[in-house]
Amino acid sequence: MARGITRATTSTFLAASFLKITPPIWKNPSVSLSVPWTQFICKCSLAHHHHQHPIDMSKYKEAFSMQMAMAGLKPHHRIALGVSGGPDSIALCVLTAGWKTNGISAGESGDFVDGLLAIVVNHGLRSESKDEANIVCNRVSQMGIRCEVAHCDWPDGRPKQGHLQEAAREMRYQAFQKVCAQHQIGVLLIAHHADDQAELFILRLSRNSGVIGLAGMPFISQVFSTHTYSLGGVSNNHGLLLVRPLMNFSKQDMYKICLGGNQDWVEDPTNRSLLFARNRIRMSLRDVSSSIFKSELQAVILACRRTRSFINQVCCKLINQAMVVKDGYAIIDLEILSPSKVEDICLSKFLSLVLQFISQRYRPVRGSTSKLLLDYIRTFPCKNSLTAAGCYLCPAPGSKGTKTLVCCSVDCPLPSKMEPFHACAFGEQEHHIRSELEQIIADAKSYSDHLVLDESDVHFLNVTSESVLTEAKRLGILSESTYRSILLLQREETKRFKSKTETELSSDLESKHGFQSVNILRSEPLQPGHACYFMSRFFITWKLNEEISSSAFSEEANCDLNLGLENWQCHCRSCVVGHDMVAEVRHMIESDWLYLAKFSKCLSNSGKFQQQRDLLDYRADQIPEKINRCLDYARLSAQSALLSLKSIPAAARGGIPVLVNHKGLLISIPSIGFKHCPCLVVSAEFKPRFQTLSDQLDRSLFNFQPPFHRRSRKV
């Protein structure tokens, strides 16, 4: 929670004075305060005006219901709310609870609204934050909404003051993701509104953002956690659908909704600290925000959003028509793509989406890297290779340069942590939440299908970030006075931003993302029955079966060898798999497929296993008959795996996960079906954590998926 939250019942936006007061008392006397408070309560005419002219809540409820319908949400869906206790999130609680209870009955849930959970995050940055979070939680519970406090851990210590808000935001969304996963909730509502969008526009304008960035926060997006949680034996790395249903509401609307719902809220004095950029911009906007200024600024943002929507439509078309995504790599058909006919901004967004997805990175491709990629993709036919943004691009094999292969580059910095966790089979709850999300997305898209934009509908397609305001003024979207006011705000914040040194920025970037550049990436030791999320894309688990049925030999048994399938038991604990083995996961290297090639050519006649023994460093007295069978099984498995490997381009093989034992000896390559022992059961499921191809699309084109081959391979 923020420092010194304050109970209030009137709008600070209209406040004329602020008075120090004693600790506030909530309307419900059962709420007690046991922590020191630094608080202010504002006095103005809004509350008095509310008594004289009752607030019409029906118009807010109607507008909110329309937004929820556009998001594909219905009252029976399980929904979480991000709550801080401020007027924005309390207004969200009021509207959501009313929408829920009007749509369906309360059922058997007692005093709480069915299928609604509020999440209060205790950032843990101050000693009193826990008590403050509990106070807000109690207050929300009194509104009839189940509430839970999520606590943040800071293993690397408190973040730097200059980046405190950004670090807290990242930790907050990780907490949201975890709690929603625990409760099998796939949708989170956030109380961002139009004034937040205006602040973000000025902030990004001062950072020289392009039109896509100036469009601000999307109505719907999908976030993916930087951690994978295994809860109740279920891996929860599906995205959390983030919906902002208050984007068309103003800050003043938030206060009116709280008053109309007869609800208190708390104010955070740190929101007035000039140490933070958004606070400075918020204060400045209040000084110049006439009704004309507000409406014209929102009109510019809307024009940027329409431009982004059109770009997304173009990207959707390109992804569906000109590329195919497989397990860990993509192939772009340059003849269909026709890059010379695509606008630079659309082609850049398309390439950024593809590379973000393949590399599983969170940062979009920008600047000189984006220009480098544009120059590369416009060269036809493709003749050279390129490494950029964690990806390796080269001509696709056999295409004569008409297609480009995009795969993960293992020579680039990769995530430094891959924590193993206990895992077992996916359950019905996981299937239910995925099905519900798919239906929500489909319903949201049905509302947006009629919003197909033409190039003539957008204004900023060929406009640079520096000339957005000039073009808006030329088109009559901005008046001269509003234009000058925005320019002044931009220049003031740009000066502050440029005061940061490049050393600070590069240091923050390295500490934030925790990347390390290594030649071979390995996981922590992986115990049987546990799982590892490898390279943010493969969900890997393994175990040993004590008894193997003949079905395990279905492919390998189609040969002249008698492997003795009757009563086969796992007595080969002294082979490569070994007794009490702990596996490690790494990416495939050249020596792995050379090993398969050599192993597959070993003799299979009884008594002629010397070549295989040499490969595995066995002595003759160490090899009983059952291990001879294991070796022959492995030889046949290697032959089959080599056939599968031929279908994967050589450049993309570096992204294939490989299991080795503690000595580094190859145990299994599950993606192509190789394993060294019939007792070994390995699963490598391609489950990318960050599905960048669809997570940042606006409501006018929220959901698109490429021809995607999601595959789970068990061997």
Side-chain angles (χ1 to χ4, degrees):
M1 293 296 296
R3 183 177 301 161
I5 58 176
T6 307
R7 178 242 188 204
T9 56
T10 54
S11 170
T12 56
F13 182 76
L14 300 176
S17 62
F18 297 88
L19 304 175
K20 281 256 180 113
I21 62 171
T22 55
I25 301 175
W26 294 88
K27 289 183 178 179
N28 191 317
S30 64
V31 179
S32 62
L33 299 175
S34 59
V35 298
W37 292 67
T38 303
Q39 54 240 292
F40 300 89
I41 189 167
C42 47
K43 292 185 177 182
C44 68
S45 60
L46 185 59
H48 177 68
H49 179 78
H50 166 53
H51 291 297
Q52 289 186 335
H53 305 279
I55 294 171
D56 181 12
M57 290 293 289
S58 61
K59 66 176 183 180
Y60 293 120
K61 292 179 179 179
E62 182 180 354
F64 182 81
S65 296
M66 182 176 295
Q67 294 296 301
M68 296 294 276
M70 291 182 67
L73 295 173
K74 296 179 173 59
H76 69 270
H77 288 143
R78 294 168 58 84
I79 294 172
L81 306 174
V83 177
S84 66
D88 306 346
S89 60
I90 293 298
L92 180 64
C93 289
V94 171
L95 292 176
T96 308
W99 172 76
K100 272 270 191 181
T101 53
N102 286 338
I104 56 174
S105 60
E108 300 177 358
S109 59
D111 295 330
F112 291 120
V113 178
D114 277 340
L116 189 61
L117 175 70
I119 305 172
V120 179
V121 178
N122 166 27
H123 294 95
L125 297 173
R126 295 171 297 106
S127 58
E128 62 268 27
S129 63
K130 179 179 179 181
D131 293 317
E132 292 173 359
N134 289 333
I135 291 170
V136 174
C137 181
N138 290 336
R139 190 72 190 92
V140 173
S141 297
Q142 292 163 19
M143 297 174 65
I145 300 174
R146 288 185 182 85
C147 193
E148 182 171 323
V149 176
H151 301 278
C152 298
D153 295 321
W154 301 92
D156 299 325
R158 180 189 174 95
K160 295 180 181 179
Q161 181 69 22
H163 299 279
L164 183 63
Q165 287 188 329
E166 182 182 359
R169 180 189 180 279
E170 291 187 3
M171 189 65 75
R172 182 163 60 251
Y173 278 93
Q174 286 183 23
F176 286 150
Q177 176 86 6
K178 186 172 183 178
V179 173
C180 287
Q182 289 172 337
H183 291 274
Q184 293 295 314
I185 295 174
V187 179
L188 175 70
L189 304 189
I190 298 296
H192 290 136
H193 48 75
D195 289 38
D196 293 324
Q197 197 80 301
E199 294 167 14
L200 185 59
F201 179 87
I202 301 298
L203 179 65
R204 290 183 174 177
L205 194 66
S206 69
R207 285 4 179 213
N208 203 32
S209 291
V211 175
I212 294 176
L214 294 177
M217 295 172 284
F219 174 59
I220 304 174
S221 59
Q222 200 167 6
V223 295
F224 293 84
S225 175
T226 55
H227 301 278
T228 298
Y229 307 105
S230 181
L231 303 162
V234 177
S235 168
N236 293 275
N237 73 321
H238 52 73
L240 182 65
L241 206 62
L242 214 63
V243 180
R244 300 175 175 91
L246 304 181
M247 294 287 279
N248 293 334
F249 294 71
S250 69
K251 181 71 173 185
Q252 190 171 3
D253 290 330
M254 301 297 102
Y255 292 115
K256 289 182 178 180
I257 292 167
C258 290
L259 291 172
N262 196 31
Q263 296 297 331
D264 295 339
W265 66 88
V266 294
E267 296 285 358
D268 177 9
T270 59
N271 286 337
R272 304 182 63 85
S273 170
L274 297 182
L275 290 173
F276 304 114
R278 294 201 64 144
N279 292 353
R280 294 192 298 267
I281 294 170
R282 185 180 305 119
M283 297 292 193
S284 299
L285 282 172
R286 289 178 182 176
D287 293 337
V288 298
S289 287
S290 65
S291 58
I292 295 176
F293 178 90
K294 285 183 177 180
S295 61
E296 291 184 354
L297 178 55
Q298 292 297 329
V300 175
I301 297 173
L302 177 60
C304 291
R305 289 168 64 85
R306 290 175 69 85
T307 303
R308 181 175 64 184
S309 295
F310 177 78
I311 294 169
N312 287 339
Q313 288 179 186
V314 174
C315 289
C316 174
K317 182 179 179 181
L318 295 178
I319 287 174
N320 287 328
Q321 295 181 358
M323 68 174 294
V324 174
V325 179
K326 297 187 178 179
D327 289 8
Y329 68 96
I331 295 177
I332 302 173
D333 192 319
L334 299 179
E335 291 182 312
I336 298 176
L337 182 66
S338 299
S340 61
K341 299 179 182 179
V342 182
E343 297 286 349
D344 282 358
I345 191 170
C346 298
L347 192 57
S348 294
K349 178 65 179 291
F350 165 75
L351 292 172
S352 180
L353 289 171
V354 174
L355 267 65
Q356 277 183 276
F357 178 79
I358 297 301
S359 67
Q360 289 295 294
R361 291 185 172 187
Y362 295 83
R363 293 175 62 85
V365 181
R366 297 191 180 103
S368 58
T369 302
S370 181
K371 186 178 185 303
L372 184 67
L373 287 166
L374 276 177
D375 293 340
Y376 178 83
I377 208 71
R378 290 194 189 280
T379 303
F380 185 85
C382 176
K383 296 180 180 180
N384 302 316
S385 61
L386 174 69
T387 300
C391 291
Y392 177 76
L393 293 81
C394 66
S399 69
K400 298 182 179 180
T402 62
K403 297 180 180 180
T404 296
L405 171 71
V406 184
C407 61
C408 179
S409 173
V410 295
D411 294 326
C412 289
L414 293 166
S416 60
K417 289 186 178 181
M418 289 169 290
E419 300 176 356
F421 50 89
H422 182 73
C424 55
F426 292 90
E428 293 183 1
Q429 288 183 319
E430 174 79 1
H431 175 73
H432 172 74
I433 189 172
R434 286 187 180 276
S435 299
E436 186 172 87
L437 278 178
E438 290 172 359
Q439 185 59 53
I440 291 170
I441 291 171
D443 291 343
K445 194 172 186 304
S446 69
Y447 276 88
S448 62
D449 282 342
H450 68 284
L451 298 177
V452 177
L453 299 172
D454 187 78
E455 189 170 344
S456 61
D457 297 325
V458 299
H459 301 303
F460 302 143
L461 198 59
N462 298 306
V463 175
T464 63
S465 58
E466 295 84 2
S467 58
V468 167
L469 295 181
T470 304
E471 181 66 10
K473 187 177 71 168
R474 188 189 70 81
L475 293 169
I477 301 174
L478 291 180
S479 64
E480 181 67 27
S481 61
T482 301
Y483 170 77
R484 291 183 179 277
S485 296
I486 295 176
L487 273 183
L488 181 61
L489 291 170
Q490 177 195 8
R491 289 167 184 167
E492 289 177 352
E493 189 54 40
T494 299
K495 288 179 183 178
R496 291 178 178 269
F497 176 66
K498 287 184 176 179
S499 65
K500 282 189 172 183
T501 64
E502 293 182 2
T503 304
E504 288 175 336
L505 290 174
S506 60
S507 174
D508 293 338
L509 183 62
E510 290 174 4
S511 63
K512 173 182 172 181
H513 292 284
F515 286 123
Q516 61 179 9
S517 183
V518 292
N519 291 326
I520 298 180
L521 183 67
R522 287 192 178 183
S523 71
E524 297 294 326
L526 189 61
Q527 300 285 348
H530 287 66
C532 175
Y533 202 44
F534 185 72
M535 294 176 68
S536 297
R537 68 200 69 207
F538 285 101
F539 180 75
I540 299 172
T541 184
W542 74 277
K543 66 179 181 178
L544 287 173
N545 273 358
E546 291 298 325
E547 185 168 341
I548 306 298
S549 66
S550 60
S551 61
F553 300 86
S554 57
E555 295 183 4
E556 288 74 13
N558 294 325
C559 59
D560 296 332
L561 276 169
N562 179 9
L563 297 181
L565 303 184
E566 66 281 355
N567 298 322
W568 181 285
Q569 292 186 347
C570 194
H571 295 302
C572 51
R573 296 292 182 88
S574 59
C575 72
V576 175
V577 173
H579 183 69
D580 297 329
M581 184 191 74
V582 175
E584 292 182 358
V585 186
R586 61 166 171 80
H587 63 81
M588 191 175 187
I589 56 179
E590 185 178 4
S591 60
D592 292 329
W593 68 264
L594 292 175
Y595 174 86
L596 292 180
K598 290 181 180 179
F599 202 93
S600 65
K601 295 177 182 178
C602 291
L603 298 176
S604 60
N605 301 48
S606 178
K608 295 183 179 181
F609 285 93
Q610 189 59 47
Q611 291 172 290
Q612 292 162 298
R613 296 168 187 172
D614 292 342
L615 281 172
L616 302 176
D617 195 26
Y618 283 142
R619 296 198 310 269
D621 59 354
Q622 290 180 323
I623 307 179
E625 181 60 24
K626 296 242 177 187
I627 294 184
N628 282 339
R629 296 178 182 177
C630 264
L631 293 175
D632 212 19
Y633 175 89
R635 179 186 65 82
L636 297 170
S637 181
Q639 292 176 352
S640 175
L642 282 173
L643 293 176
S644 298
L645 194 62
K646 289 180 179 180
S647 65
I648 301 175
R653 294 173 186 173
I656 297 176
V658 169
L659 269 72
V660 298
N661 65 11
H662 68 286
K663 294 181 179 180
L665 294 175
L666 184 63
I667 297 171
S668 176
I669 310 178
S671 297
I672 57 175
F674 172 74
K675 60 180 180 178
H676 237 298
C677 176
C679 300
L680 186 65
V681 180
V682 187
S683 173
E685 185 173 3
F686 183 64
K687 291 177 64 67
R689 172 184 290 144
F690 186 49
Q691 298 194 26
T692 319
L693 290 174
S694 63
D695 72 344
Q696 295 183 12
L697 297 181
D698 205 355
R699 68 182 178 188
S700 59
L701 185 68
F702 165 65
N703 182 47
F704 69 86
Q705 290 286 350
F708 196 93
H709 305 289
R710 186 179 298 275
R711 177 178 57 172
S712 175
R713 185 69 182 265
K714 293 185 179 181
V715 296

